[in-house]
Amino acid sequence: MSSLTRKEVEEIAFLARLHLEADEVSAMQTELGAMIEHFKVIDGISCEGVEPMTHPIAIDLPLREDIVEPSMSTADALRGAPKVDGDLIVVPAIIPGAE
Amino acid sequence: MTTAFLSATEIARRVKAGEASAVRILDEMMLRIQRFDRELGSLLAIAGDEVRATAVEIERKRKANEPLGPLAGVPIVIKDNIVTKGLTTTAGSKILAGWVPPYESTVVERLRKADALIIAKANLDEFGMGSSTEKSAFKKTRNPWNTSHVPGGSSGGSAAAVAAGLAAAALGTDTGGSIRQPAAFCGTVGLKPTYGRVSRWGVIAFASSLDQVGPLTRTVADAALLTQVIAGHDPRDSTSLDQLMPPLDTVGQVKGLRIGLPKEYFADGLDADVRKHLDATIDALKQQGATIVDVSLPHTALALPAYYIIAPAEASSNLARYDGIRFGKRAEAQDLLDVYMKTRGAGFGPEVKRRIMLGTYALRSGYYDAYYKKAQQIRALIKKDFDEAWATCDVLLTPTTPHAAYRFGAKATPLDMYLGDVYTLACNLAGLPGLSVPCGLSDGGLPIGAQLLGKPLDEQTLLRVGAAIEAAVGLGDKRPTGIGGLA
Amino acid sequence: MSKTIAQLLEEYEPVIGLEVHVQLATHTKIFSGSATQFGSPPNSLVDPVVMGMPGTLPVFNKAVIELALRLGIATGSQIRTKSRFARKHYFYPDQPKGYQISQYDEPLLEHGHLDLLLGGAVKRVNLTRIHLEEDAGKNTHVGAVSHVDLNRAGAPLCEVVSEPEITSAEEAAEFMRSLHRLVRWLGVSEADMEKGHLRCDANVSVKKRGAKELGVRTELKNINSFRFVQNAVDHEIARQLRLIESGERIQRETRLWDAEAGQSYTMRTKEEANDYRYFPDPDLPALVIQGDLMASVVRSMPELPIARFTRYTTAGISPDDARTLIGERALADYFEAAVTAVGDNTKARAVGNWIVNELLGRLNADGKDISSSPMPAAHIGALVKLVEAGTISGKIGKEIFDESYKTGEDPAALVEKKGVTQISDEAQLWEIVDRVVTANAKQAAEFASGKDGLFGFFVGQVMKQTQGRANPVITTELLHKRLGR
Ligand SMILES: [Mg+2]
Ligand SMILES: [Zn+2]
């Protein structure tokens, strides 16, 4: 018995934009299910009033002066890009303004 | 006479004194890499003309009596999740195959300034996710002491290369034990500094609140030397501590020091052979005047679930940028959704996918409080355990791993694999410094590591105790013999 | 016969909440040192951080917090002394990291308000929050592909979120105008609408008048001009009312406004809604507002436009003029400098008139703004002083204004030079009036017999004799006296 349904696995994979083959979905269901079972041990721990530890060290956010640093060249910026057209990165068409 | 197993400290001394040539040292290392790494599989990209030019320049400087840095002529390999400008950096993932970074990481910049020779990139579990280096998308790294055993991970390439004398030192990264565990498996020293000591600028993030860069070396003194060079405040990393690294020494002086033994780290599941070597280590320290104190870290058992919620959650976020749009490989795709799904589906290996899935699961709306937030609260409890322990001791001594290096494929399920990290995770969750130092060979001839955990910023005490262990029960002149002709 | 929108609006009331993204006027991006200027070649204002390259880390720009605090103080917001950045995840080509660094449950500013001017009255709209975040890049759509330019990625934004307290499209547009005026006033943003410095999303629903429960809302994206806000919201209210009228249900969805077509269309339905998986950004410790920073920002705060509006109208200036005068801080400052030059606060209304009716028209025709006015405030003040004291007539005043505007000369000096001082001396004027009436005895007789229209003729004659310098009030009085009626 797994604590994760196949559909849930597929939904999570979609959220993470990971294409999974059918056998991968099955494996995930088992493996993630086992991990989630293992996580149950924390359910019983009372953490009332405990401040979540977001950072391992207690420092304030450093502030940077608003001074322009030289940009990297467009050529350097785009060198690793799989598909470009001149100075622009190219992707398959997207719905205008989505997001 | 080979220079392959000279310490970094000794190489730098000789190069500065004109007793050894940086070019000759480089050439010998490159020859060894050619000869042995086909079997060892510790390295990915190998530096070419530029490192030779650096060696030539070091020679020129020496002859011109110009000052040389503390790592003059020391051949170093860099774990491949650390960015090296102009040298292919992949994080062990197909999704980044062939990426040549246009910028430099702070740690490598500091090594270069210290006149080190950056000779190659070291293999790793993909994005640092793994404990055996079996999860690299590119190659299998073998343990130089016995090639049918794993080198540990995720800094397995770094550990194997240093142990096998293919580099004098290496940089690794440690998110849940990824420096200390392979150091233990390969018989090297490995230091994970206090979180914030070493800049993460240019370190390809796995779990940002846990990741830290540190050295893997053959001696404790070398670990101190490298730490001294790479540590220090960096304005490019907002989590970098604005603290000066004081000069480190490795005087093996433990008299009067209170060494704590957390009982949870010596409980069931600890291999008898490892236990035996730890007992010998404890005896040696006692003989040298250390006080041994029993302590308890009651939330230890919760480190594993907390870690495997926090680390994957942060990873799922950090790895969202690998989409085949600005860098890396893009899969053939019809539409934009396809670009994302297929690029990521094909580009990431199974372990990375598993962690992205786990992290995405934990961060979903409605699940956040029960998982991520709860795990961060447990993290606070774990930190508190340590804070309380420091009332009765100055440093903690534990085994680094429950057992020595295992055979390839021995860990059947992901959970089995994760359970091997039980002793190393809490250190990252609490942001503490941790050192693994060899404390002998197992009956099967594999190295065993002792782990020291220290107060925040107290790398110094770890190194001193580490030096005492090294002197008393370390590997001495023993060299790995898994590959013929290595030593 | 179906009801008209106007009829439906008697039964239903619109409920509108706005989310406005304001680009802050910094030199560099919020988390890296690349420049933020507009109109540069594509992908030229980028660095490894902006590109989201592996291994890069954000470092926060100090100027952002100073500007945001100004906006926070001006809106009366509660300032969180320890706020946090969070990651908001979604995949999109203009979002280089796969997440946006934003603020989630611990935003910098909360519970403020924005005051709008509606027909001379002030309406207060409460603000839920104002948080800091980074901008995305820009996608351009070209047939089968889209182009990505990341120049704008990482530009610093304040997202201003209103409570759903706006009740009409006009109010929504006014909210935008007020915010626009405020952020320019404070120097928080250049607020150039053409450059997309202010971008608005609107949440629109309608409910039965008096009902407590809100209707299903839709979100309109990307309405980036005052006019578009008004048109898009109006259109959406009408669309929802017609749906209700025809018995259909309103879908919870995100719609995109097409300004050219004057229509909106569905972009994303609720089922497709994102799960953003917010969590505190581990790369960024908490943003702590230190007392000295806070104190220095408080010290630098100017008087706010609405406060000035109230002060001006209290001083007798018409709401319309007052609204114009607070349109820009430089203009309001100019106005106050001119009043100071007059040295008499009771003349504020006249000063306002001259600026609004004469000066702004001229500047506008010349394509200039107040800061490049050829007439310094002191000159407007001098002019008003001359007219109000009766030294020159209003008509001469306009001539002097023209001359001073053209030459930059001081009106007082011009009046002196041209000898156009108004004649208000009764004895002197009586002499002229008497001479004019004597010389035009025929017209005087006709006027006496009731031909009223001739009065203007006599005024004209006196003005002619005095080159327009005769005080019109005294002249009128004396003419009546001399003409006998
Ligand atoms: Mg929003
Ligand atoms: Zn926003």
Side-chain angles (χ1 to χ4, degrees):
Chain A
M1 204 218 74
S2 171
S3 43
L4 262 190
T5 67
R6 206 176 166 83
K7 184 158 171 285
E8 262 184 298
V9 171
E10 284 164 351
E11 281 167 4
I12 296 164
F14 180 75
L15 258 185
R17 297 294 187 273
L18 281 178
H19 172 81
L20 297 181
E21 300 294 342
D23 58 329
E24 289 182 289
V25 175
S26 308
M28 286 289 177
Q29 210 187 331
T30 315
E31 291 157 0
L32 296 189
M35 289 306 290
I36 291 160
E37 276 306 308
H38 180 82
F39 293 158
K40 282 194 174 146
V41 55
I42 70 170
D43 291 347
I45 307 300
S46 165
C47 289
E48 278 277 305
V50 178
E51 182 69 18
M53 187 171 154
T54 310
H55 299 279
I57 46 171
I59 57 171
D60 295 350
L61 186 68
L63 305 178
R64 166 178 62 81
E65 293 299 325
D66 185 27
I67 297 165
V68 175
E69 283 166 38
S71 294
M72 74 197 300
S73 72
T74 306
D76 271 348
L78 300 186
R79 186 160 293 129
K83 200 164 177 207
V84 296
D85 180 355
D87 292 346
L88 293 154
I89 299 165
V90 178
V91 295
I94 43 185
I95 316 155
E99 204 45 55
Chain B
M1 164 71 195
T2 177
T3 54
F5 288 95
L6 287 180
S7 71
T9 310
E10 177 61 11
I11 291 172
R13 190 197 65 75
R14 289 191 191 179
V15 168
K16 285 195 264 194
E19 293 168 26
S21 137
V23 176
R24 291 274 304 276
I25 288 165
L26 176 66
D27 286 347
E28 184 182 0
M29 252 347 148
M30 288 301 187
L31 272 174
R32 283 180 67 84
I33 288 169
Q34 269 182 25
R35 191 170 152 207
F36 299 117
D37 203 52
R38 190 186 300 268
E39 191 176 348
L40 190 65
S42 67
L43 304 176
L44 296 171
I46 312 283
D49 297 345
E50 68 280 8
V51 66
R52 210 182 150 81
T54 305
V56 169
E57 171 65 7
I58 291 168
E59 285 307 292
R60 186 201 63 75
K61 281 204 228 172
R62 188 190 56 76
K63 284 177 188 143
N65 268 322
E66 288 173 30
L68 282 171
L71 294 172
V74 176
I76 294 179
V77 298
I78 309 294
K79 188 179 182 182
D80 203 32
N81 61 350
I82 299 173
V83 161
T84 43
K85 185 177 182 178
L87 185 57
T88 306
T89 300
T90 66
S93 182
K94 271 192 288 184
I95 210 160
L96 261 185
W99 184 56
V100 181
Y103 79 100
E104 190 69 284
S105 57
T106 296
V107 284
V108 171
E109 195 175 275
R110 290 188 181 189
L111 291 180
R112 289 190 195 283
K113 239 185 96 196
D115 290 319
L117 299 174
I118 308 300
I119 59 171
K121 302 305 289 290
N123 198 24
L124 69 160
D125 289 299
E126 186 176 357
F127 284 104
M129 298 178 192
S131 311
S132 65
T133 314
E134 291 168 287
K135 313 295 184 194
S136 166
F138 299 113
K139 57 165 73 164
K140 190 177 205 169
T141 300
R142 295 172 186 281
N143 191 313
W145 294 84
N146 183 334
T147 54
S148 58
H149 288 243
V150 301
S154 64
S155 309
S158 297
V162 170
L166 304 191
L171 290 189
T173 61
D174 191 319
T175 305
S178 281
I179 289 174
R180 290 159 289 153
Q181 185 257 22
F185 278 12
C186 290
T188 74
V189 175
L191 175 67
K192 182 210 98 81
T194 307
Y195 185 87
R197 264 291 193 213
V198 180
S199 171
R200 292 186 298 115
W201 173 256
V203 179
I204 298 180
F206 161 11
S208 312
S209 77
L210 303 164
D211 296 342
Q212 194 64 188
V213 176
L216 292 99
T217 56
R218 287 187 299 267
T219 70
V220 173
D222 282 359
L225 176 63
L226 259 80
T227 303
Q228 197 85 65
V229 170
I230 61 172
H233 180 243
D234 181 7
R236 287 173 294 194
D237 174 1
S238 300
T239 61
S240 166
L241 283 165
D242 199 356
Q243 294 268 355
L244 224 62
M245 188 72 182
L248 296 167
D249 68 61
T250 48
V251 183
Q253 174 65 263
V254 296
K255 200 170 163 59
L257 212 62
R258 298 170 305 165
I259 298 175
L261 305 178
K263 67 170 194 237
E264 292 80 6
Y265 286 67
F266 292 88
D268 294 350
L270 178 58
D271 177 83
D273 207 350
V274 175
R275 171 91 221 202
K276 191 179 78 192
H277 283 88
L278 257 292
D279 286 343
T281 304
I282 293 162
D283 282 345
L285 292 169
K286 221 186 281 181
Q287 268 174 27
Q288 292 175 44
T291 309
I292 304 298
V293 186
D294 286 325
V295 299
S296 172
L297 302 168
H299 294 96
T300 296
L302 298 176
L304 191 93
Y307 178 87
Y308 277 98
I309 291 168
I310 293 166
E314 293 184 8
S316 72
S317 172
N318 286 327
L319 270 58
R321 70 188 62 200
Y322 304 101
D323 55 12
I325 291 176
R326 294 162 313 285
F327 42 76
K329 291 275 164 289
R330 184 190 297 185
E332 274 308 316
Q334 292 307 305
D335 55 29
L336 183 63
L337 180 60
D338 232 24
V339 167
Y340 289 119
M341 299 294 289
K342 288 192 179 151
T343 297
R344 294 166 59 77
F348 292 132
E351 182 63 27
V352 172
K353 285 191 207 173
R354 199 145 45 226
R355 303 221 191 172
I356 291 175
M357 292 288 291
L358 199 52
T360 305
Y361 171 86
L363 288 177
R364 276 182 311 162
S365 89
Y367 292 73
Y368 177 86
D369 283 0
Y371 289 103
Y372 190 76
K373 190 178 164 202
K374 186 78 179 271
Q376 296 284 43
Q377 288 174 312
I378 287 171
R379 186 177 186 177
L381 298 179
I382 288 168
K383 170 81 162 59
K384 196 160 151 271
D385 282 356
F386 283 106
D387 291 344
E388 282 164 8
W390 305 134
T392 57
C393 63
D394 304 306
V395 60
L396 295 165
L397 174 66
T398 80
T400 308
T401 58
H403 40 60
Y406 45 83
R407 288 178 180 277
F408 285 100
K411 300 287 182 180
T413 72
L415 191 53
D416 282 348
M417 177 75 85
Y418 301 161
L419 286 164
D421 301 333
V422 282
Y423 300 149
T424 49
L425 300 174
C427 167
N428 299 74
L429 290 170
L432 306 175
L435 178 75
S436 180
V437 57
C439 62
L441 293 179
S442 70
D443 297 346
L446 287 162
I448 288 168
Q451 175 176 243
L452 296 162
L453 301 175
K455 297 175 192 171
L457 300 177
D458 192 14
E459 285 80 7
Q460 177 61 83
T461 301
L462 299 189
L463 291 165
R464 285 187 189 157
V465 181
I469 296 172
E470 179 179 58
V473 294
L475 298 180
D477 288 335
K478 297 192 194 81
R479 301 283 173 228
T481 50
I483 297 172
L486 204 55
Chain C
M1 185 65 209
S2 66
K3 293 177 184 161
T4 64
I5 295 300
Q7 285 167 329
L8 285 166
L9 279 172
E10 282 167 24
E11 288 172 52
Y12 292 93
E13 57 183 321
V15 178
I16 302 155
L18 297 183
E19 292 174 19
V20 186
H21 287 91
V22 180
Q23 184 177 330
L24 302 178
T26 59
H27 301 299
T28 69
K29 301 198 175 189
I30 182 168
F31 294 118
S32 70
S34 282
T36 49
Q37 78 250 16
F38 184 84
S40 305
N43 293 307
S44 64
L45 304 178
V46 296
D47 54 42
V49 176
V50 172
M51 295 296 293
M53 282 187 181
T56 56
L57 296 168
V59 182
F60 184 67
N61 181 349
K62 185 179 172 186
V64 169
I65 191 62
E66 290 164 355
L67 297 178
L69 284 178
R70 263 191 238 175
L71 183 56
I73 294 166
T75 52
S77 297
Q78 284 174 21
I79 295 162
R80 194 184 290 268
T81 51
K82 195 171 180 180
S83 77
R84 222 177 273 280
F85 287 102
R87 296 181 179 181
K88 175 184 181 179
H89 300 86
Y90 61 89
F91 289 92
Y92 210 61
D94 62 12
Q95 188 56 264
K97 300 182 297 298
Y99 60 83
Q100 177 193 31
I101 304 177
S102 182
Q103 296 191 300
Y104 183 50
D105 51 1
E106 296 166 275
L108 179 66
L109 305 166
E110 280 175 294
H111 313 305
H113 51 78
L114 184 69
D115 290 333
L116 324 188
L117 291 176
L118 287 169
V122 176
K123 167 168 175 160
R124 176 160 286 191
V125 174
N126 288 300
L127 303 178
T128 315
R129 58 191 276 153
I130 301 176
H131 68 249
L132 300 171
E133 62 185 26
E134 58 179 348
D135 206 345
K138 231 169 111 179
N139 301 316
T140 327
H141 314 284
V142 198
V145 298
S146 292
H147 288 158
V148 186
D149 171 12
L150 295 173
N151 280 352
R152 209 181 62 188
L157 301 177
C158 266
E159 182 174 335
V160 179
V161 181
S162 88
E163 289 288 315
E165 295 178 349
I166 296 164
T167 57
S168 71
E170 293 73 36
E171 270 184 42
E174 194 51 41
F175 182 96
M176 277 287 272
R177 282 194 202 95
S178 299
L179 184 60
H180 179 258
R181 177 174 55 222
L182 182 64
V183 295
R184 281 178 59 93
W185 187 278
L186 298 168
V188 161
S189 173
E190 287 173 43
D192 188 329
M193 305 296 284
E194 309 273 286
K195 295 179 183 169
H197 289 165
L198 239 66
R199 300 197 293 273
C200 178
D201 302 337
N203 292 303
V204 180
S205 65
V206 293
K207 61 167 187 178
K208 277 263 190 220
R209 289 213 172 262
K212 281 218 174 66
E213 209 176 312
L214 295 179
V216 174
R217 69 161 195 257
T218 59
E219 187 177 7
L220 295 168
K221 282 271 182 197
N222 280 322
I223 35 184
N224 299 336
S225 81
F226 305 130
R227 194 163 53 85
F228 290 176
V229 170
Q230 177 142 357
N231 294 348
V233 172
D234 252 341
H235 179 274
E236 180 60 17
I237 292 168
R239 193 187 69 86
Q240 292 188 10
L241 288 174
R242 278 200 205 91
L243 280 176
I244 291 173
E245 181 61 1
S246 61
E248 283 176 66
R249 288 171 64 121
I250 293 159
Q251 298 291 325
R252 174 83 187 265
E253 62 182 353
T254 302
R255 300 179 68 85
L256 199 68
W257 176 246
D258 181 341
E260 254 167 69
Q263 285 205 342
S264 62
Y265 56 88
T266 302
M267 199 174 93
R268 192 167 58 219
T269 61
K270 194 190 174 195
E271 291 70 51
E272 299 166 77
N274 265 311
D275 181 341
Y276 292 121
R277 286 159 285 136
Y278 283 100
F279 79 105
D281 193 325
D283 288 331
L284 295 162
L287 170 58
V288 175
I289 309 298
Q290 304 291 354
D292 51 348
L293 173 66
M294 190 65 203
S296 86
V297 176
V298 167
R299 265 198 307 277
S300 76
M301 287 299 288
E303 185 187 16
L304 298 178
I306 297 294
R308 289 212 191 174
F309 175 85
T310 310
R311 202 150 56 73
Y312 297 172
T313 48
T314 310
I317 295 169
S318 74
D320 277 353
D321 281 1
R323 186 192 165 97
T324 304
L325 289 171
I326 61 154
E328 245 185 290
R329 190 160 148 198
L331 178 57
D333 286 347
Y334 182 98
F335 163 68
E336 299 205 4
V339 174
T340 306
V342 176
D344 178 358
N345 282 338
T346 64
K347 304 298 182 221
R349 187 191 172 103
V351 174
N353 269 325
W354 277 94
I355 292 174
V356 173
N357 299 327
E358 303 299 327
L359 180 62
L360 291 183
R362 288 295 293 269
L363 290 173
N364 200 24
D366 294 350
K368 288 183 171 157
D369 60 25
I370 195 70
S371 56
S372 56
S373 167
M375 264 181 103
H379 287 185
I380 287 282
L383 182 64
V384 172
K385 210 166 158 180
L386 290 165
V387 175
E388 290 295 306
T391 313
I392 57 173
S393 66
K395 187 161 170 286
I396 297 287
K398 285 189 184 159
E399 286 168 25
I400 294 293
F401 170 85
D402 277 343
E403 188 91 11
S404 173
Y405 184 93
K406 262 182 234 143
T407 63
E409 281 183 73
D410 181 357
L414 280 170
V415 165
E416 192 72 21
K417 190 166 88 184
K418 298 169 81 89
V420 289
T421 314
Q422 183 164 262
I423 302 162
S424 299
D425 184 87
E426 281 197 35
Q428 197 185 342
L429 280 176
W430 180 257
E431 216 172 279
I432 298 162
V433 164
D434 183 54
R435 204 185 320 137
V436 164
V437 174
T438 310
N440 298 284
K442 187 170 153 261
Q443 285 86 345
E446 283 173 23
F447 179 79
S449 63
K451 204 166 175 189
D452 287 357
L454 279 171
F455 192 77
F457 165 79
F458 286 104
V459 174
Q461 288 301 306
V462 173
M463 288 301 172
K464 199 173 167 188
Q465 293 285 317
T466 60
Q467 290 92 45
R469 293 164 57 211
N471 182 315
V473 178
I474 301 171
T475 301
T476 304
E477 198 184 303
L478 295 179
L479 271 172
H480 280 298
K481 201 166 162 190
R482 176 65 181 78
L483 290 167
R485 64 179 281 257

